[in-house]
DNA sequence: CGTAAGATGAAG
DNA sequence: TTCATCTTACGG
């Protein structure tokens, strides 16, 4: 069983693997939802595809805060994505949460997504924020803070982890910084 | 200021 | 494959 404190998030590459199998719990808005993290991607300051590549800005400030900080941003003018910050304060590292295996509040997730198929609730970075109710208001929360609307709990230990290229980026396309639980049906497709 | 590019998803 | 949709970053 993983120790759920900041040592889990020593750097974004190892954290991306160690977060797989952890349960992400959201009590955002009108109910509790949760799911096991089954797909992640790593980002850091040496990475052209990272929001932190050109240093700190208004938007990416949470990436430079302490490990466990939640970084939520709006993409394409309509979708939220969640990251969990890793590494030392001042070093812009984060892990993008790309897919969950639904656990609690599945009916609420179906409502929020207006979709009935359980496999289509949280199998993508923006789908999962919609299903769990995570939005800009949750930016800068901390997953180790019990008062936080978003926190993590122990889930399961993945048997096998696959490491591949990241999805949906145009820079640094050859880095194999995407990780997912082998065989899990809730992993985003492509 | 002006503007172009997004760590996406859904529909056709 | 196209498009919806709008904040952010960055240049002039």
């Amino acid at each position: 069983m993983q120790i759920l404190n900041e040592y889990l998030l020593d750097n974004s590459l190892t954290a991306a693997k160690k977060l797989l199998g952890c349960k992400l719990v959201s009590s955002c808005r009108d109910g509790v939802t949760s799911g096991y993290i089954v797909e992640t991607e790593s980002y850091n300051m040496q990475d052209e595809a990272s929001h932190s590549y050109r240093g700190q800005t208004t938007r990416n400030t949470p990436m430079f805060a302490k490990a466990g900080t939640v970084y939520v941003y709006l993409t394409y003018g309509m979708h939220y994505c969640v990251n969990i910050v890793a590494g030392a304060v001042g070093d812009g590292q984060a892990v993008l949460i790309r897919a969950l295996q639904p656990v609690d509040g599945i009916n609420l997730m179906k409502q929020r997504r207006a979709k009935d198929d359980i496999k289509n609730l949280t199998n993508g970075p923006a789908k999962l924020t919609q299903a769990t109710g995570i939005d800009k208001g949750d930016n800068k929360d901390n997953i180790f803070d019990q008062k936080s609307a978003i926190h993590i709990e122990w889930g399961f230990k993945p048997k096998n982890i696959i490491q591949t290229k990241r999805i949906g980026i145009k820079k640094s396309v050859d880095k194999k910084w995407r990780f997912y639980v082998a065989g899990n049906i809730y992993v985003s497709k492509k």
Side-chain angles (χ1 to χ4, degrees), chain A residues 6-167:
Chain A
E6 62 270 19
Y7 296 109
L8 179 73
L9 308 175
D10 49 357
N11 82 65
S12 62
L13 266 321
T14 55
K17 283 177 272 192
K18 289 195 271 187
L19 283 168
L20 292 176
C22 289
K23 188 181 183 184
L24 186 72
V25 183
S26 160
S27 48
C28 304
R29 307 157 78 121
D30 52 342
V32 177
T33 54
S34 75
Y36 300 128
I37 297 170
V38 295
E39 180 183 353
T40 58
E41 282 181 0
S42 183
Y43 290 86
N44 71 29
M45 293 187 75
Q46 285 69 48
D47 168 23
E48 261 194 300
S50 173
H51 289 176
S52 61
Y53 181 63
R54 286 166 213 281
Q56 189 167 341
T57 64
T58 310
R59 177 178 65 164
N60 68 21
T61 292
M63 286 186 80
F64 295 81
K66 67 180 178 184
T69 299
V70 173
Y71 169 44
V72 180
Y73 67 91
L74 182 69
T75 192
Y76 291 98
M78 61 190 107
H79 301 299
Y80 291 107
C81 294
V82 226
N83 292 252
I84 295 175
V85 175
V89 172
D91 192 0
Q93 303 184 23
V95 176
L96 172 69
I97 309 301
R98 285 196 58 90
L100 300 176
Q101 173 177 335
V103 178
D104 301 303
I106 291 173
N107 283 334
L108 181 52
M109 292 198 265
K110 287 180 177 177
Q111 260 179 38
R112 286 168 170 166
R113 288 269 304 134
K115 293 281 188 297
D116 211 44
D117 181 4
I118 190 168
K119 296 189 300 304
N120 192 21
L121 296 178
T122 53
N123 60 335
K127 293 181 185 181
L128 98 241
T129 54
Q130 188 182 23
T132 55
I134 294 172
D135 67 14
K136 201 75 181 208
D138 306 301
N139 199 26
K140 302 184 181 183
D141 276 12
N142 191 290
I143 59 164
F144 301 123
D145 182 353
Q146 290 305 312
K147 301 189 300 289
S148 172
I150 304 170
H151 71 273
I152 57 166
E153 296 176 4
W154 168 244
F156 71 97
K157 179 169 177 57
K159 287 189 179 63
N160 288 107
I161 292 172
I162 309 289
Q163 175 168 184
T164 61
K165 293 178 183 179
R166 292 175 294 182
I167 292 178

